[in-house]
Amino acid sequence: GDFSALLNTSTVFGKDAHGNPIYSGAIFNSQDPGAVFPGNVIPGNLISSASKKIIALYQKDYAPQSSSLVGNNRFPTSNSPSQTPNQAVVKLDHNLTDRNHLSGSWVYDHRPRLLVDSGGVWQSGSTDGGPMAADRYQTVVGHQFRVGDSLTITPNLLNSFTATYNRYWNGSVPPTGGTNWLQELGLDHTSAVNFPAISFGSAVNGIGETGLGDTWQGFYVASTFLLDESLSWTHGKHNFKFGGDFRAMEINSHGGSGADSFNFSNNETGAPSQSYANQVGFGFASFLLGNVQTATQTTPYDLYGRRKAMSLFGQDTWKITPKLTLNIGLRWDATFRFHEKYGHWASFDLNTVDPNLGIPGAVVYAKNGSDSFERNQDWHNFGPQIGLAYNPWKKVVFRGSFGI
């Protein structure tokens, strides 16, 4: 509990409750209001039991790399120290007849990796950072299944159909699973294996403390089903093409539970009401005393977002002359309202009257799985386009287009 290195004795803000000078960087004793710790040292009997256990881990595996008060922790230079991606592609083609071609494919992507993208500390000699690191094992698995059929109806009439299904799974877990750290530290009794996420607030006088632990849990699955079809017809100088597509999209999110977060700040060991509040106290000192500013715990949730969309189009490529080609087309898009499969959704409505306060503005909840807070459906999303290609000389082509 020795914070004497934080003191700047050349800056004095006044006297504490016992007449001791209040220096810049002073640590206040929350059990003796208005008094600073003599010499900026917190007695060992005041340090919480959970903090003592964490300090023991600090001293054993996370010792600073230098005696400097800043920039002294080790950390990997790469945000992904290890990964083993695996990919596979399978493609099949078959001619049903001389006019009907069937194709299919499967694309597989599996990418497990250790991801270090949230800062934190790193255990000496470790390949995964140890329990107090903020890294995670992330697994991404992707599949794409596609089948297509191309049918030549007549020499100048071609129909193409494609069905595609995409699935993307993304989940993260702490790399040092197996130990129930919340129970080990005497903080909580949950099934989460995460080391508690601990933050120490803002730096004081340019000196801060790196946060610990993580709350990585859960996964999400995104899927898209697509159907598209087009008909191409060549007639004289015109090449017409008509078609459309339909898309069903979903995002399923599954949260974990029981991972705790504790936030400390300099306010609990400082003087938050004074003009020098940002120059005294220290988040890590508040942590040693067990003076938590805020604490949260992850709670389980399962959300199933759904949306559908469709498009129709028509276009004509008109060879007006051997040197001049005109492209004209019109596209219509419709994106249907987003909803949650089971109606587990809420929003803040500025017009709904709050039943308790009697004024506009209240939280409203979806009535069922088909309800949505996207109230206005736009059926007028038309996109016309026109383009020109002019070839006045053998090696020169001028092109121009306009679309909405």
Side-chain angles (χ1 to χ4, degrees), residues 137-191:
Y137 276 129
Q138 180 198 52
T139 300
V140 174
V141 182
H143 294 272
Q144 182 192 78
F145 301 92
R146 180 182 178 275
V147 60
D149 181 79
S150 178
L151 175 63
T152 302
I153 303 172
T154 67
N156 64 338
L157 191 62
L158 174 66
N159 186 80
S160 298
F161 171 80
T162 303
T164 306
Y165 175 70
N166 297 307
R167 188 178 188 272
Y168 179 87
W169 191 99
N170 188 321
S172 295
V173 296
T176 54
T179 301
N180 190 314
W181 284 105
L182 292 174
Q183 293 186 31
E184 188 80 12
L185 298 171
L187 292 172
D188 208 339
H189 296 278
T190 75
S191 60

Side-chain angles (χ1 to χ4, degrees), residues 117-332:
D117 59 355
S118 302
V121 295
W122 199 263
Q123 185 182 47
S124 176
S126 170
T127 58
D128 60 17
M132 293 163 63
D135 57 344
R136 54 186 165 127
Y137 276 129
Q138 180 198 52
T139 300
V140 174
V141 182
H143 294 272
Q144 182 192 78
F145 301 92
R146 180 182 178 275
V147 60
D149 181 79
S150 178
L151 175 63
T152 302
I153 303 172
T154 67
N156 64 338
L157 191 62
L158 174 66
N159 186 80
S160 298
F161 171 80
T162 303
T164 306
Y165 175 70
N166 297 307
R167 188 178 188 272
Y168 179 87
W169 191 99
N170 188 321
S172 295
V173 296
T176 54
T179 301
N180 190 314
W181 284 105
L182 292 174
Q183 293 186 31
E184 188 80 12
L185 298 171
L187 292 172
D188 208 339
H189 296 278
T190 75
S191 60
V193 296
N194 305 70
F195 194 92
I198 303 173
S199 67
F200 303 103
S202 303
V204 177
N205 300 323
I207 300 172
E209 188 75 22
T210 304
L212 311 175
D214 66 86
T215 57
W216 291 113
Q217 293 177 315
F219 64 95
Y220 70 90
V221 183
S223 300
T224 307
F225 181 66
L226 303 96
L227 293 173
D228 64 85
E229 188 166 14
S230 64
L231 182 69
S232 298
W233 176 40
T234 301
H235 180 70
K237 295 182 178 182
H238 297 269
N239 185 4
F240 299 101
K241 189 173 184 178
F242 305 94
D245 62 69
F246 171 79
R247 304 178 297 282
M249 299 160 280
E250 61 181 48
I251 177 75
N252 303 326
S253 301
H254 306 277
S257 64
D260 287 3
S261 297
F262 300 94
N263 302 308
F264 298 88
S265 80
N266 65 313
N267 288 337
E268 285 67 47
T269 48
S273 63
Q274 300 298 320
S275 60
Y276 50 84
N278 64 341
Q279 299 179 67
V280 294
F282 199 56
F284 197 81
S286 302
F287 155 75
L288 291 185
L289 295 171
N291 293 340
V292 181
Q293 185 179 50
T294 61
T296 59
Q297 184 179 97
T298 58
T299 55
Y301 68 86
D302 298 285
L303 295 175
Y304 303 86
R306 299 291 186 269
R307 187 190 293 280
K308 294 180 176 63
M310 65 176 295
S311 302
L312 297 173
F313 72 89
Q315 65 183 54
D316 176 23
T317 300
W318 180 15
K319 193 77 169 179
I320 301 174
T321 71
K323 294 185 177 184
L324 180 63
T325 302
L326 174 67
N327 297 96
I328 54 175
L330 179 65
R331 183 180 180 88
W332 174 72

